[in-house]
Amino acid sequence: MTVETSAEPVPATAAPTVEFISLTHTNPSTELEPIPTRGIDLPFVKRYVRTLEDAGFDATLLPYGSSSADSFVLASAVGQLSDTLKPIVAVRPNTVFPTVAAQQLATLDQLTEGRAVLHLISGGNDAEQARQGDYLPKDQRYARTGEFIDVLRRAWTEKESFSYAGEHYRFDDFGPGFPPYGDSIPISFGGQSDAAFAIGAAKADIFAFWGEPLADVKGQIERVHSIAAAAGRTDRPRIWVTFRPIIDRTDDLAWAKARDYVERIARNLDNSPPRKRFTGTPQNVGSQRALEFAQRQEIYDRALWTRTTAVTNAAGASSALVGSPETVAAAILDYIDLGASLVSIRGYDTLNDVIDYGRYVLPLVRQELAHRKATGRRGTLQSEHLGALAAAARP
């Protein structure tokens, strides 16, 4: 895809604002320096959350896994350890009944005065689902998530008690439920299968993607909007994209760091227990797509690097943006120009990367957006910091 580089009018598709999201880690262990622990380092969590807020992040994801800390409890802690951060609770519908989840989320929303966000994970791996007793086929898992969303919204808004009888949930005379702080709580949705698009585009407030080449993200956004329109929606889901930026003072230094990181990650994976190694073809379509991009080429557009995806077998969000802070900020703006209004960036040197992003990347993006708001035109950041596009343009 050709990236516009001149100081032209702001694209009609561009999001006027952006919220930056990170992910809360519970201890200092990283993919670069693994520490064998399953516990919570409370002083580290307190420092990490304060650092996120000081760095200017708007929200933080509390991930969910069968062997991880509980996302609801962590979200409640983050809400009390911060003043402005939005805790995004990752929830798998197989683990909690929707009326209970509605109560938990509304309680979190009240405790944080309207900062709660829900991220639903329908489940892309049969083995992981089975660890907590879920044996539904994939398409049925997405259908269940659709019912989950319907019940949540009714539990938060119905003024009288109601009963429900669906394919996956049934109850009698519930409510009225415990209300959220405001009118409702934003619901984010992830997934790349046809079933995921059908449910998420029709029902969710936010549709989340991993970092892909610009042309492919553009097509995915258009698909979400088309399905939303066909479902009769007058609004469109907000778009969330996720990256793992690797930055340094110059592009060359950042690429040297990136190559060193991949070698260290690969070495650590080779020395890890078998259960922590990700091999074979992933079941979820998002990982399959990510590996397909990695097999096709390593560098896309201005700064997207897929070697991190290849070495981890696309186990989770792994697409990197590599370059100087200016190049990475320009790359983020390329996705904002397509319509992304939520951008998740988390690094490999987790705490230090939060500090560096807050100092060097977030201010550049926000300065450009302020310039656009004031002038209706792009600034010079994207035209002056081409990254990999500069090499591609050479004869």
Side-chain angles (χ1 to χ4, degrees), residues 41-364:
D41 183 329
L42 184 56
F44 178 85
V45 172
K46 290 179 177 179
R47 183 184 178 195
Y48 195 92
V49 171
R50 284 196 296 267
T51 303
L52 283 175
E53 196 158 53
D54 291 343
F57 280 84
D58 300 285
T60 184
L61 176 65
L62 293 312
Y64 184 85
S66 62
S67 59
S68 69
D70 181 79
S71 57
F72 271 112
V73 178
L74 277 177
S76 185
V78 167
Q80 299 311 302
L81 290 170
S82 64
D83 295 317
T84 59
L85 276 178
K86 297 178 182 179
I88 305 176
V89 190
V91 174
R92 289 210 308 243
N94 63 295
T95 63
V96 59
F97 200 75
T99 54
V100 178
Q103 180 185 33
Q104 292 171 317
L105 287 158
T107 303
L108 175 65
D109 202 47
Q110 293 243 15
L111 286 171
T112 58
E113 298 183 308
R115 286 183 277 148
V117 180
L118 168 64
H119 180 61
L120 285 170
I121 305 171
S122 300
N125 182 285
D126 290 345
E128 169 65 8
Q129 296 298 118
R131 290 182 185 119
Q132 292 185 311
D134 184 22
Y135 297 95
L136 277 184
K138 187 174 182 179
D139 283 358
Q140 289 190 37
R141 293 200 290 263
Y142 282 110
R144 177 177 59 194
T145 302
E147 287 190 24
F148 196 91
I149 293 172
D150 292 340
V151 173
L152 287 180
R153 295 200 194 282
R154 291 190 67 183
W156 291 329
T157 58
E158 292 278 1
K159 302 303 182 186
E160 304 292 339
S161 61
F162 68 99
S163 299
Y164 184 88
E167 182 181 358
H168 300 284
Y169 300 109
R170 178 180 174 181
F171 55 85
D172 294 308
D173 202 32
F174 171 80
F178 189 70
Y181 183 80
D183 293 334
S184 189
I185 295 170
I187 297 175
S188 169
F189 193 98
Q192 292 278 277
S193 67
D194 291 343
F197 275 95
I199 299 296
K203 295 179 181 288
D205 301 298
I206 299 164
F207 204 105
F209 296 108
W210 289 342
E212 294 186 355
L214 287 166
D216 296 275
V217 170
K218 180 176 183 292
Q220 299 289 71
I221 292 173
E222 290 171 351
R223 185 180 180 188
V224 167
H225 289 174
S226 175
I227 294 170
R233 292 184 62 163
T234 56
D235 64 341
R236 298 292 179 267
R238 296 179 67 190
I239 301 299
W240 169 356
V241 290
T242 297
F243 304 100
R244 308 287 298 274
I246 302 171
I247 66 170
D248 213 318
R249 294 186 303 279
T250 68
D251 286 352
D252 287 344
L253 288 172
W255 282 107
K257 179 189 283 189
R259 289 188 285 271
D260 173 63
Y261 277 13
V262 158
E263 290 178 6
R264 292 166 65 183
I265 292 167
R267 192 163 53 244
N268 290 332
L269 285 173
D270 287 343
N271 295 328
S272 65
R275 184 168 170 173
K276 291 186 176 293
R277 298 176 199 161
F278 304 100
T279 58
T281 302
Q283 285 187 312
N284 65 303
V285 177
S287 292
Q288 292 171 12
R289 286 175 60 91
L291 287 175
E292 196 176 304
F293 294 128
Q295 290 161 5
R296 196 182 308 164
Q297 61 190 70
E298 282 199 4
I299 303 173
Y300 290 86
D301 305 316
R302 193 185 303 267
L304 187 70
W305 194 45
T306 65
R307 182 65 184 145
T308 43
T309 298
V311 77
T312 59
N313 202 41
S318 55
S319 304
L321 294 176
V322 181
S324 67
E326 292 80 8
T327 297
V328 168
I332 290 170
L333 285 162
D334 293 337
Y335 288 90
I336 292 173
D337 284 345
L338 296 180
S341 62
L342 299 122
V343 176
S344 176
I345 54 172
R346 56 186 177 91
Y348 291 95
D349 185 6
T350 54
L351 181 61
N352 290 326
D353 282 339
V354 166
I355 296 169
D356 284 346
Y357 297 158
R359 286 177 178 169
Y360 307 119
V361 177
L362 273 63
L364 289 172

